[in-house]
Amino acid sequence: MASAMTAAADPSPTPTYAEAAQRALDIIQTASPSDTRPAAAALEVLISGTGDSQPEITNDLRARPPLYEDARQRLSALLTALGQPATTGDPGLAQQRLHDVMSQSRYDPLHRPPSLLDRFAQWVQDRITALLRLLFGSRGGAQAPALWFDAAGIATLLAVVFIVFRAARGRFSQSISVVPGGPRPPADFFAEADRLAAQGDRVRAIRSLCAGVAATLAGERTWEGSPLTVREIFQRAPDPASLRPLLLPFEAAVYGGREVDQATYERAAQVAAPFRQPVEAAA
């Protein structure tokens, strides 16, 4: 009898996501519009398995009177989606397409660590937040709105930028004015690759090689503004497979963070050579 009473006192296991949705639907399936007890029971079951991930359904069940019809429709749609999860027949191809999209130049900032300015801005925001919490308290009592946090952080950053700019005495604008604004011909990229390789910076050098080949294949504006990936641009070559010794080290270095050894760079330079010779000869 003691063992039986202990077993009866054990709590029931937490339902899975799909089980919670199905039980909630079963509870309210035949509920009358004015009866709130099924809504309360279904709400408890749903939250126990799904948490706060279904606010539309929980709001329907909390309404007085409960919005049973809308809740039933939403639970049915949820169960249908859970029974037919999104899958792909070729995960390798899907992964490759995702990699191709993320390799576009527009996503380069995602692969770079936060800049010094970003880290400084975060540090300033953290210090302001800590100060305001010290003044107003972290729980209960008067709380400073989050808008004041942002406003104080922006004001601090603007003050720092103003002081730095005044100290530089306009040298920022002078440095910006010397940056060329027009399209760069392929010969510039190849010359830059030679210079960087001579300095030992083979990662940036192989990037410049790819830029030169891409500009030769698709035009001078390709590297700066084309929505195509490097792979897609290289497909325009007469023999795209021959560019793999250049393309693969480029992807490994730029997107994978790997180094480029001397032998790999020399092989990539040989592959890029046929695309630089016509440009240099024309020049």
Side-chain angles (χ1 to χ4, degrees), residues 118-128:
D118 294 334
R119 284 182 283 180
F120 176 74
Q122 184 61 47
W123 180 85
V124 171
Q125 184 176 0
D126 292 342
R127 301 289 73 76
I128 294 174

Side-chain angles (χ1 to χ4, degrees), residues 15-280:
T16 64
Y17 204 99
E19 289 174 350
Q22 184 62 60
R23 290 181 190 177
L25 179 60
D26 294 340
I27 292 172
I28 66 172
Q29 194 67 260
T30 58
S32 62
S34 59
D35 189 359
T36 61
R37 288 174 297 177
L43 180 63
E44 182 179 357
V45 170
L46 185 66
I47 292 178
S48 67
T50 65
D52 298 328
S53 60
Q54 299 296 328
E56 295 83 2
I57 302 177
T58 56
N59 289 340
D60 288 343
L61 297 176
R62 290 191 177 102
R64 292 296 179 267
L67 304 177
Y68 284 124
E69 184 61 30
D70 188 67
R72 282 192 285 266
Q73 293 179 1
R74 291 182 181 275
L75 284 169
S76 298
L78 174 61
L79 289 169
T80 301
L82 293 174
Q84 299 176 353
T87 58
T88 177
D90 191 346
L93 178 60
Q95 184 65 29
Q96 181 60 46
R97 289 179 175 174
L98 175 62
H99 181 270
D100 291 343
V101 172
M102 296 304 297
S103 298
Q104 297 179 12
S105 58
R106 69 184 71 175
Y107 298 116
D108 283 351
L110 297 178
H111 306 292
R112 293 195 296 265
S115 64
L116 290 176
L117 183 59
D118 294 334
R119 284 182 283 180
F120 176 74
Q122 184 61 47
W123 180 85
V124 171
Q125 184 176 0
D126 292 342
R127 301 289 73 76
I128 294 174
T129 301
L131 176 61
L132 292 177
R133 284 179 178 172
L134 179 64
L135 295 176
F136 296 99
S138 57
R139 294 172 179 242
Q143 293 289 332
L147 181 60
W148 287 107
F149 291 11
D150 297 336
I154 292 173
T156 303
L157 286 178
L158 290 176
V160 171
V161 171
F162 177 75
I163 294 172
V164 172
F165 182 80
R166 286 289 302 271
R169 297 184 181 277
R171 286 194 291 270
F172 290 156
S173 60
Q174 295 175 6
S175 62
I176 293 174
S177 64
V178 300
V179 178
R184 297 177 62 186
D188 284 359
F189 289 113
F190 289 125
E192 183 180 57
D194 294 340
R195 177 177 56 80
L196 293 172
Q199 296 174 356
D201 190 353
R202 289 185 290 272
V203 173
R204 294 175 60 194
I206 204 167
R207 185 186 183 99
S208 295
L209 282 180
C210 284
V213 173
T216 302
L217 291 172
E220 295 181 353
R221 287 286 188 182
T222 302
W223 192 254
E224 291 84 358
S226 175
L228 301 177
T229 64
V230 178
R231 283 179 174 264
E232 292 170 336
I233 295 173
F234 280 11
Q235 288 297 320
R236 300 185 180 186
D239 184 11
S242 65
L243 292 174
R244 290 177 64 83
L246 172 61
L247 176 63
L248 297 182
F250 164 78
E251 292 179 338
V254 175
Y255 306 119
R258 300 181 182 179
E259 295 295 330
V260 179
D261 56 43
Q262 184 65 33
T264 301
Y265 180 78
E266 290 178 354
R267 175 60 179 156
Q270 292 176 0
V271 169
F275 295 88
R276 66 187 299 172
Q277 289 174 355
V279 175
E280 293 178 350

